Amino acid sequence: MSDHLSLPIRLPDEEDNRFERLAILTQRVANHVLEDHWTPVHLDGIADASHQAWKYFDEHEPFEELDLYLPSRFRRCILQKVGETLRSHADRRDAFQSIQSVLPEHKIRRIHRRRIKEQLWDDGDYLSSGYVDILIDQLTSYYDRHGAYPATYFEMQDCPEYDSGVLPFSADDGPTSGQAVKYQYDADSEMLIIRLKTPDTPSPETRGDWSWTEYERDGYEAFHELLSYGDLSAPEFQLSRRKTGDAYYELSFPVEVDQIETNDDVDCVLALDAGMRKDMTAVVVTDDGEQLSQPHFIQFTDRDGMRRLHRERTRLNDRLAALRRDGRSHTDEFAHIQSEYERVNSKIRHKREQLTHDVANQVLALALTYDVNAIVHEDLRSLSPPGDEGTLSWELSSWARREIIENIEYRADCAGVAVERVYPQGTSRSCPRCGSTGHTCKSPDHQQEHWWGGHFRCDNARCGFEGDRDYIGALNVARVFFSDTDELDHGFTSSYTGDCETVLAGRSAGERSAASRSTSELASDAGTRLTFGSGIVAYEPDQAAATAGGGSAVIAPAVAVPESNADGSDGRGPVVQQCTRFIRCATESY
C-alpha cells in the first residue's frame, strides 16, 4: 500500500501578478461551473461515478457561456475540482438523510448531539463525526431562522462558493507531457524545474493570451530527503497566507510513499484520551493490563494566544455587524475592519494548523518510542460537550479532536502503526485498578463530586485509586480495546509501571510558572503542579540537546517520579531518533 505526503513549494514572489491572475480566473470559472451543476441529479450522478471526477462532465458544455479561451487541460482541472466538491456534498447529503430520522421535534440541545450519534451507531451506520457535527450546527442554525428543520439537503445548504483559486493539476497529462504544468526533479543538482501555464490577461480571449513560464527551485532539504522515499505526483496550485495575512502562492506536490505494513497481533497500545483542558493524554498499556509508561499529558503551548485571537475576532465581527446594520458596509472604515478581521482569521488558522500537527507529532513520537503495535483513541461520536459549550474550550476540543486524529492516522500509516478506535462509555468514572465506579472532583485537594472535574477518585474504600481524569480515560480506552466488546471489562484492570512508588500530580501549587521559581521551590512542590515545556520525546542524531518532538506542543508527565526510581529516569521515558520523519528507529535513554 502507499500514501501521499504533501510538499509545498513556494513560487517566486516577483511573479505574484501572474499567479494572482491564474487564481482569480480559476475561482471565477470554478464557481460558474459549480453553480450550474448544483442539483440533486448531479449529486446522484457524481456519487455513482467511480472514475476520476472530471470524467463525469462534458468537457465543453460547462464553459460555453463563458466568453473566454480556456486551454483544454485547464478545463479538465476545473472539472476535477468541481467534481470533488460535488462528491463531498453527496456524502454530506447521505449523512443528512440518516440524521433526519433521529432529529427531535424541537431545537437540538446538547444532550441530543450525543443521542443522535448513539442512534447512528446503533443503526450500524458509520458517519464521519466531522459531517455529523457540521450538519448538527447547520440544522440548529436553520431551526433558529425557520422554526422547523429542512425537508431536503438543498433547503439547508446553499450552493457552495470557492473563496480562493485552488487548482488541482491531477487531470493534466503528467510531469513531462502536461499541458498546464510540467515538472522535473534533477537528483544530481537537487533542483526542481517547474513550467507553469498562466494567463497574460484577467480575461484571456485567444490561445496567445496564455504563456509558459519556467521556474527553478532548490534549497528544500526536507524536499530532497522525502523524495528518497517516493515519487512526485501532480501538484495543486494554491494561495497561502503569512501570519500577517499577506498572500503568496505555492505548488503543493503530493509524494507517494510506501506504507509500512502494520502488525495484526496487537499486544501493546498507546491509548489516548482527548480532554477539555489538555489536548491529549497518552499511556502505554499491554493486553494483560500492565502499564509500561508513565502517563503523558500533551498540551499546545499557545492556547492563551488562541483565546486572545478568538476574542479579537469576535470584537471585529461585532463591529462589522453594527456597520452593516447602519448601512455603512461601503465605507472605508468597514473595509479597514474587514481587513483586520481577515488578518486575525489568518492567524487563528495558522495556530490551528500548528496545534493539530504538533500534537499529532508528539503522539507519534511516543508511539515509536515505546514501539507499540497500535494507537487507540475514543470514537469521536462519543464526544460530549461540557456545560459551557459556548466557550472556546469547547470549540478547541470539538474541531481539534477530529483534526488531531486525522493527522495521527496520516502519520501512523507511513510509520506502520495501526490506529484503532473504540466507543466506550463511562471511561472517566470507572476505576482502572479495581473496576469499581468512582467520581470526579475539581482537584486532588477536593472531595466533593463535580461532574466536569479534572480529578478522579475511586469509590471503593479498599482500592482508593485516584488520578487525573484524562489519565483514567486513557487507561480505560485501552481496557475497552482489549475487551471482547465495546464495553468496559471489569475483570480486566490496569496496574502502575513496575513496583515503583508514584506521586499523583495535583493542581494546588502556586500561580508562578516553573521558570520563575527557584530550584528548592520546585523540589518542594514535586507532584503538585503540571508544568508543560520540559517534556523530551525527540532527539536528532548528533544533536547537542534533546528537544520536544512536535514544535510547540509539549509533554509533561502525569505523575512525579521519586528520585529513587530504579533507572534514574525523570518519568518522561526514552527518546526516539528522527521521530518527526516517521521512521521507526531504535531508542536510547536520555
Side-chain angles (χ1 to χ4, degrees), residues 535-557:
I536 298 172
V537 296
Y539 183 78
E540 295 290 344
D542 303 322
Q543 186 173 315
T547 58
S552 62
V554 294
I555 287 182

Side-chain angles (χ1 to χ4, degrees), residues 281-327:
T281 299
V283 63
V284 179
V285 181
T286 66
D287 57 357
D288 59 3
E290 183 181 3
Q291 182 182 323
L292 297 185
S293 77
Q294 298 286 348
H296 295 278
F297 292 150
I298 304 175
Q299 176 83 336
F300 184 57
T301 57
D302 200 17
R303 278 198 170 200
D304 288 341
M306 291 194 71
R307 288 185 171 88
R308 286 194 297 271
L309 289 171
H310 176 79
R311 290 194 295 269
E312 177 68 7
R313 182 177 64 179
T314 301
R315 183 184 67 82
L316 292 170
N317 192 47
D318 290 343
R319 291 179 62 186
L320 290 173
L323 290 173
R324 290 190 186 97
R325 288 193 300 269
D326 295 340

Side-chain angles (χ1 to χ4, degrees), residues 32-46:
H32 169 80
V33 176
L34 180 57
E35 184 177 358
D36 278 355
H37 291 80
W38 184 247
T39 66
V41 173
H42 285 301
L43 253 62
D44 290 338
I46 196 71

Side-chain angles (χ1 to χ4, degrees), residues 69 117 147 197 264 345 393 405 418:
Y69 176 83
K117 295 175 184 181
K197 180 179 282 188
D264 293 333
N345 232 11
S393 63
I405 292 300

